[in-house]
Amino acid sequence: MNNDTDIQLSGPFKATDGSGRAHDIKAIRIFDEGYGAIDVYVDFAAPLDGLHKDKTLIAAIVAQLRTVGYKGPLLTQGDPVLQEKKLMVLEAPDEFNTFAAGKGWKDLAEEFGDDE
């Protein structure tokens, strides 16, 4: 993890998928890319075997984020191209930005007045 750009939101925990199987998650983190959109990276200890769309698993990840202070709406499945064998990428809603800022994320687009 690069401490300049990777911001860890949660350490290890277990999450259950829709079929009742428990999964070891090593960390939830964001990568500070310096613009308004945030992807949330969830590092798994073992391969996901196609569980990137599992709503129960995603809800369990959001529940973990809530234990560290996130209060906004659910996250959604990220771009299928970004998904990896042991990595789930979730898209965060705009409301996530406030939470992320509290963890050290900076929206450079906002800082420089860049609008879409």
Side-chain angles (χ1 to χ4, degrees), residues 3-18:
N3 290 333
D4 294 335
T5 56
D6 280 349
I7 300 169
Q8 185 168 327
L9 303 176
S10 172
F13 67 100
K14 285 192 180 286
T16 304
D17 65 25

Side-chain angles (χ1 to χ4, degrees), residues 23-75:
H23 300 273
D24 289 319
I25 295 177
K26 296 179 355 180
I28 302 175
R29 59 190 172 83
I30 55 176
F31 181 73
D32 192 349
E33 298 176 88
Y35 61 91
I38 298 177
D39 287 328
V40 176
Y41 299 89
V42 184
D43 298 309
F44 284 75
L48 288 170
D49 298 324
L51 290 171
H52 298 97
K53 296 179 184 180
D54 189 296
K55 293 179 193 275
T56 303
L57 186 56
I58 293 171
I61 292 164
V62 173
Q64 177 65 20
L65 286 171
R66 293 193 194 294
T67 69
V68 295
Y70 177 61
K71 294 177 177 34
L74 291 177
L75 282 65

Side-chain angles (χ1 to χ4, degrees), residues 81-101:
V81 174
L82 298 175
Q83 310 303 327
E84 294 180 13
K85 189 173 171 179
K86 293 183 178 181
L87 176 71
M88 177 185 287
V89 181
L90 301 172
E91 287 184 17
D94 290 341
E95 294 87 348
F96 194 85
N97 293 11
T98 302
F99 169 72

